[in-house]
Each structure stands twice: as structure tokens, then as C-alpha cells.
Amino acid sequence: MICVSIGRGRHRHVIAEHKHLADNGIQLVELRLDYIQGAVQVKRLLADRPCPVIITCRRPVDGGRWEKSEEERLLLLRTAIVEGADYVDLEDDIAMQVPRYGKTKRIISHHDFHKTPPDLAALHKKLTGLNADIVKIATMANHPTDNLRMLEMVRASKVPTVGVCMGDIGMPTRVLCRRAGAPFTYATFHDDRVLAPGQIGWRQMRDIYRYESISTATRVYGVVADPVAHSLSPVVHNAALKEADIDAVYLPFRVPAEQIDEFISAAGRWPLSGLSVTIPHKESILRHVKTQDDLVTAIGAANTLAFGEGGIAAFNTDAIAAVESLEAALREPDAATPPTEGLGVKTALVLGAGGAARAVAFGLRKRGVDVTVASRTLERSKKIAAEVGCKAVDWTARYRLPYDCLVNATPVGMHPNVDETPFDKEHLRSYMVVFDTVYNPENTLLVKEARAIGCRIVTGVEMFVRQAAIQFKIWHGREAPHQVMRDALKRATASAKQPV
Ligand code: NAP
């Protein structure tokens, strides 16, 4: 069950959101009395309620907004019980000051906004001893292992327990607590109006992560990165899992560089079935793998891991995705240019010398294209040139030679810097194929200017969907629903406010 927390200043807004949620099938809401401005009318909030409620009134020390006296707060909680609230949330230090009465169930809660305490079992035991019907523990995750300890505590508990970690490191626990046996999880009314760090909106919880369908058998996949909060991989992969009706969920795992070894070593405790890997882990992850495909060996970086009985297998799907995207675009006939067989480009200029540039340069070289890499930091492009067998030029030399393919593998033009382009339009030529790996937005300034003069275009959306689709096939052994993934990505980038 998803419990949606409502934190609004006015009673009528609380009541309206409550009704809206019940109309949309939500079966439990938390009414945060500490958000209400002025005198709180508990009776009004409970009258004719369209679905069961948890009454909560948090002090600032527990992440709330209550500014009045503690006496008034306790009185409010007792009033809620007398008025027949379905549940009341009582922090552990006040739990015994508010007696059980009637049918109201007691949620005994503990919050720690700084850390996840070392002995969760002892904390849990203390809370169950406070006349609890449900135990709730929400603590800050500073380390991915905090999540595991939390989920293991939920799994071991005899009393129904909601155990979640806060912050973006802790986000996976909000979804996976169901898999560990939690009676419900908390979500917010709106993605942008979070009441605690790491919370997500109920629609994301229900429609993207499919919380209600998670069971102990659900397999766990995800993207490991730092930062990870704005990754669109969860949107794309979960859309594909839903379409293919696969019992699996795909989550964002924020893992700082210095914690990656411990995270991978503990993979069996989640347990993880597969991971997408991105900055800053693509290279360091290789020390954990048992097998790797030829592309990983050649490129020296992996973007995909599959966890099996025989160990971890590593793959690189970026290079194939880049070449396939280019091929697909060139196969598509349009009015300006006749259809081209094969890759159809002889020379390519790749802008940038990071992971994306390396994968694209490698993929193109494999197909016999004469590749030149231009980057701000010449040493980085020289390194790629030596490894891949191509040329390197200084950033300022990028306009010197004619190329029939231009690839942007820098973040220039990415949201929010949508007015920037890495290649001045004066130097674009209509015979060029222009491939921008940036996918947010899809129509970058470079893409728009190149399209305006009749260039063939390949967008980052195409590459992103294809690299994810190859991952899907590696993990699930069947073709990915490309169009569903493409649509999900386009919807997400259309509504994204942050860089990804
Ligand atoms: P990365 O490893 O950080 O490399 C970024 C490269 O861009 C570096 O060479 C960097 O130069 C250069 N750069 C950064 N800002 C620049 C600027 N203002 N002007 C000129 N050069 C600049 O990142 P990455 O993993 O390669 O990713 C690069 C971009 O590729 C991403 O932003 C993303 O949009 C895109 N991408 C797309 C896909 C897809 O599937 N569509 C997949 C991966 C990446 P220095 O070395 O001098 O810092």
C-alpha cells in the first residue's frame, strides 16, 4: 500500500487532496497537522474522510513544522484518537504519554536526519515495546549499506514495520521496503513537494516503480552513479519492464566513488540482478567483474553489469548503440538525401574526450570510419586516439577539415544551457550527418541548426534508447520494447527541469 503524505497550510486544500487521492485509488493518507496554519480542526479533517488516515504532527527536530507548544501537540494527538482517527503517529519519546483508546492504531516512530544508527535491531525492539501496532523508522542513509541494514531489519521484524532510509542514497528503500515485508511506504502528493529527503510522488511510486506489484520474488535492477537523482534510466527501464510484464524493478543507486567496492561486494544482499553503470564508476567497476565482452576490453569501461551464479559479467552497450543509431538514421530515406547502405560515412569528427566520445570513436573505428577527436583537453583526446587508433586535434582546430559526420560527445547544449552549441553553425555543411549524443533536450541548438540547413540528424534519444534496449536484452533475454522506451524518455525530458 502507498500512504500519501499531505502537507498543506489550509484545511480545504488538505481535504481536496485527500479526496483526489481516494478518487485515484489511494487507500491510506497521512495528514500532517504541523503544516496547517492557524488552529487545527481535527474533527473537520476526519469527518467524511474518503479513505483511512494517519494523523501526524511533527516537531522541527523530527523534520516537521510544528511551532506551538508540546502540550498543544499532545492534545491534538489525543483529540485525533478520541475522534476515531484510523492511525496516530507517535514519536518514541512521547508514545507513553498518549494512551491507547478505541480502535485507533498506534504507529510508533523514530527519525534520525543525520545517520542510520548502528544497532537498528535494538532501536526496533525499543519501539515495539512502546505498545506499537506498527513501527516506523526513518533514518538518513550516508552509505548504501545503511539501506541494506534497514531492509534486513524490516525483513526480520515480527511487528509490521515501515523502515526507510532518507536522502537520495536511501531512495531505493522507499520502494524495496515492500519486498522486505513493510505494510506500506510513504510518498508525497507531488514530486516537487517532498516532506522528507528522498521522497517521491505517489504517481512515480505507483506508475514508474509499480510499488503495488512488488513482492519477495521481484528482481532488482538499477543504475549506479553519483550523482544519480536526475538519471532518466529508471523511467526508461521501468516503462520497458511494465510493457513486457516482467516482475522486476529498476532503481537509482547513488553510490559515491569511495563506496563502490563495498556496494558491489554486498550485491547479493539486495539482491541485485543487473546494473547500468555510469559516472564515476565505468572504469573502476571492472576490478569486480569475472567476465567482460570484447567492447569492455577494448574501451576499458563498462556501462552494464549482469549478476549471475558464476560472478559478474560486464558489457559496454554505448558503442553499439552509437553505431546502430547512425546506421538507422542513414537508412531512413528523406527528401533531401538518398538512402545510404551500411554506415555510409567515411570521416567523422568527435567532439569531447570522455566516456561517450571514447565509445563513439571506438564504434566508428570498428566500422572503418576515419575518426578525429577534438577536445578542450588535448591530452585526453590524444589518449583516446592512441587507444582507438584515430587522430586527435586541439579544440580550436575542430573547424579545419571537412568531415562528413560530426558527433557531439560533450555536454554542451544540455539542459539548462540549451542556447549553447559546441560547433558554430557557420561551419556546418548540408552534406554532414550531425549526431548529438545529448538527449535532454533532444532538439539541441546544434540539432536545430543542422536540421535547418538540411543535414541528416541522429539524436541522443536514439542512442540512449538503444543502449538501454541492449541492456534489457542482456538482462531479460528478449527484445526490448523500443518505442515504449523512446516515448517514456521523450515524456520525461519534456517535463525535466534539471540536467540529467
Ligand atoms: P565526460 O566523461 O565527463 O566527458 C565530457 C567531455 O566533454 C570531456 O572531454 C570534456 O572536456 C568535454 N566538455 C565538457 N564541457 C565542455 C565545454 N563546455 N566545451 C568543450 N568541451 C567540454 O562525460 P561523458 O560520459 O563522455 O558524457 C558526455 C555527454 O555525452 C553527456 O553530457 C551526455 O549528454 C552524452 N551522453 C549521451 C549518451 C546517450 O546514450 N545518448 C550516453 C552517454 C553520454 P574536458 O576533458 O576538457 O573536461
Side-chain angles (χ1 to χ4, degrees), residues 279 353-356 376-377 380 395 409-412 437-439 460 463-464:
I279 296 170
R376 273 189 325 195
T377 313
R380 288 187 82 184
W395 184 244
T410 76
V412 180
T437 67
V438 170
Y439 55 87
M463 176 174 163
F464 190 86

Side-chain angles (χ1 to χ4, degrees), residues 110 123 125 138 187-188 231 264 300 316 366 441 468:
H110 179 89
L123 175 62
K125 191 170 171 207
T188 54
S231 169
I264 296 295
N316 193 310
K366 285 279 269 185

Side-chain angles (χ1 to χ4, degrees), residues 232 235-237 239-240 483-493:
L232 294 176
V235 169
V236 170
H237 276 285
Q483 196 52 44
V484 167
M485 295 167 97
R486 195 173 286 115
D487 292 345
L489 180 61
K490 289 192 182 199
R491 268 198 310 276
T493 53

Side-chain angles (χ1 to χ4, degrees), residues 11 40-49 79-80 83:
H11 291 80
V40 181
Q41 301 162 37
V42 181
K43 200 168 181 170
R44 182 176 165 198
L45 296 175
L46 292 176
D48 305 324
R49 57 186 179 276
T79 306
E83 292 298 334

Side-chain angles (χ1 to χ4, degrees), residues 374-389:
S375 85
R376 273 189 325 195
T377 313
L378 186 59
E379 298 80 62
R380 288 187 82 184
S381 33
K382 279 187 174 164
K383 190 161 181 283
I384 293 189
E387 286 162 6
V388 169

Side-chain angles (χ1 to χ4, degrees), residues 28 37 141 147 233 269 301 381 406 472 484:
L28 181 63
Q37 288 154 10
N147 296 323
S233 291
R269 285 169 64 189
S381 33
L406 171 71
F472 185 97
V484 167

